[in-house]
Amino acid sequence: MERCSRCHRLLLLVPLVLGLSATPAWAGTPSVDVLRALRFPSLPDGVRRARGICPADVAYRVSRPAQLSAPTRQLFPGGFPKDFSLLTVVRTRPGLQAPLLTLYSAQGVQQLGLELGRPVRFLYEDQTGRPQPPAQPVFRGVSLADGKWHRVAVAVKGQSVTLIVDCKKRVTRPLPRSAHPVLDTHGVIIFGARILDEEVFEGDVQELVIVPGVQAAYESCEQKELECEGGWKERPQKQQSHRTQRSPKQQPPRLHRPQNQEPQQQVRELGKPQMAAHPREGRHPDISPP
């Protein structure tokens, strides 16, 4: 009975919707803007606009009832890249330990996931079942559960995965996958939740992008200098606090900065992006700006 109940919850989370567009507007681009693909800008239930990492930036505040999903092949019509960068700008509810993004196969196997909190966990399982759960990368000593904005980059290449936080902290862990790993794109990609898991994402997200290759992860700090007011820039790795020091002669504008493998048959029948209620009810406590 418990298993049937869980399967029913899965159906509520990712209902079947037919009639998908065969050619998304962003097909063929070198990167996938996950937030746009999951229709965050249209502000579905449980999502509202919020101030981003800089006052002029637009972010999205996600409350507990909100869940967003889409068929993986709609985001990756040409297949999921072997080596890739995952880039995000995010601020979670303080103390939260929850998934940011999860990718399931058509059989309901969790193939890819990034879990934020303390510690940060990265899950990856290819078509051969590698790496096994004991070898899944865990970034101990890294916390993203402090209620502050963070720029996070994940670089997956070969047999390793590297986590870069705020352009300062860089940690690499082994990723013992097969020599030719493949991720099934006939399943579903879910924002902020895992099937059969009570924990869901609550917080603000400004960016969530997946880019083929790892160059984007390593260059993200150079490409995304903070531009907050008046075009003035300062790189995150040079900052010592949320506010810059002013000299008597120069007073630039103020800078504000702020596992797992059931079920086996439900995910095959998935459709276009859809909102669905999470089994747990509750309201998202408001996160005050940094």
Side-chain angles (χ1 to χ4, degrees):
M1 292 297 295
E2 176 64 20
R3 187 180 183 87
C4 291
S5 175
R6 290 182 174 183
C7 291
H8 178 67
R9 289 165 53 191
L10 169 60
L11 292 174
L12 291 176
L13 182 61
V14 284
L16 171 64
V17 181
L18 299 178
L20 302 178
S21 171
T23 308
W26 22 261
T29 59
S31 63
V32 173
D33 185 334
V34 178
L35 299 184
R36 184 169 296 277
L38 296 184
R39 301 184 179 179
F40 272 70
S42 66
L43 302 181
D45 291 342
V47 177
R48 63 185 178 91
R49 285 189 178 88
R51 193 179 74 176
I53 193 171
C54 296
D57 292 338
V58 174
Y60 300 97
R61 181 157 297 177
V62 183
S63 58
R64 175 167 287 275
Q67 298 300 332
L68 290 164
S69 63
T72 306
R73 60 182 172 180
Q74 183 170 323
L75 279 70
F76 300 95
F80 199 90
K82 173 184 174 183
D83 298 329
F84 61 92
S85 300
L86 188 156
L87 312 174
T88 186
V89 180
V90 66
R91 176 173 63 171
T92 70
R93 174 175 60 78
L96 185 72
Q97 185 81 34
L100 179 69
L101 192 70
T102 312
L103 187 151
Y104 286 93
S105 71
Q107 289 73 38
V109 176
Q110 183 179 348
Q111 304 177 108
L112 177 69
L114 179 63
E115 179 182 303
L116 306 182
R118 183 186 182 94
V120 175
R121 302 177 186 273
F122 181 78
L123 187 142
Y124 187 101
E125 182 174 326
D126 63 22
Q127 79 282 11
T128 68
R130 300 177 59 187
Q132 293 294 319
Q136 295 292 337
V138 179
F139 296 90
R140 304 188 187 281
V142 179
S143 175
L144 297 177
D146 55 6
K148 299 179 181 179
W149 279 108
H150 293 285
R151 293 183 179 270
V152 181
V154 179
V156 176
K157 183 175 183 179
Q159 303 292 306
S160 67
V161 53
T162 299
L163 177 71
I164 306 171
V165 178
D166 296 328
C167 305
K168 295 179 291 187
K169 190 174 185 66
R170 180 183 297 188
V171 184
T172 299
R173 294 283 184 265
L175 185 68
R177 55 181 180 166
S178 60
H180 302 285
V182 175
L183 298 186
D184 177 21
T185 58
H186 291 84
V188 64
I189 188 166
I190 303 175
F191 176 88
R194 281 188 295 260
I195 298 171
L196 312 181
D197 196 331
E198 295 293 332
E199 293 299 329
V200 296
F201 176 87
E202 297 176 76
D204 297 346
V205 58
Q206 178 176 313
E207 177 184 82
L208 182 55
V209 180
I210 297 177
V211 187
V214 297
Q215 185 175 3
Y218 293 114
E219 293 183 352
S220 60
C221 294
E222 297 178 4
Q223 297 175 349
K224 298 175 182 178
E225 299 172 336
L226 298 184
E227 302 178 24
C228 286
E229 294 181 11
W232 185 69
K233 303 178 182 180
E234 180 169 349
R235 298 191 180 188
Q237 61 264 38
K238 293 182 180 180
Q239 286 194 322
Q240 301 299 321
S241 65
H242 293 306
R243 295 184 178 179
T244 58
Q245 299 294 326
R246 299 183 180 182
S247 65
K249 296 182 179 180
Q250 295 182 342
Q251 295 197 5
R254 295 174 63 185
L255 172 64
H256 298 274
R257 290 193 56 204
Q259 173 191 1
N260 140 52
Q261 289 156 359
E262 356 165 54
Q264 294 296 315
Q265 53 201 3
Q266 304 296 338
V267 180
R268 186 175 291 112
E269 302 178 345
L270 299 170
K272 66 184 179 182
Q274 171 93 12
M275 295 293 304
H278 193 273
R280 284 180 57 182
E281 296 183 354
R283 298 187 63 185
H284 167 35
D286 192 59
I287 303 177
S288 60

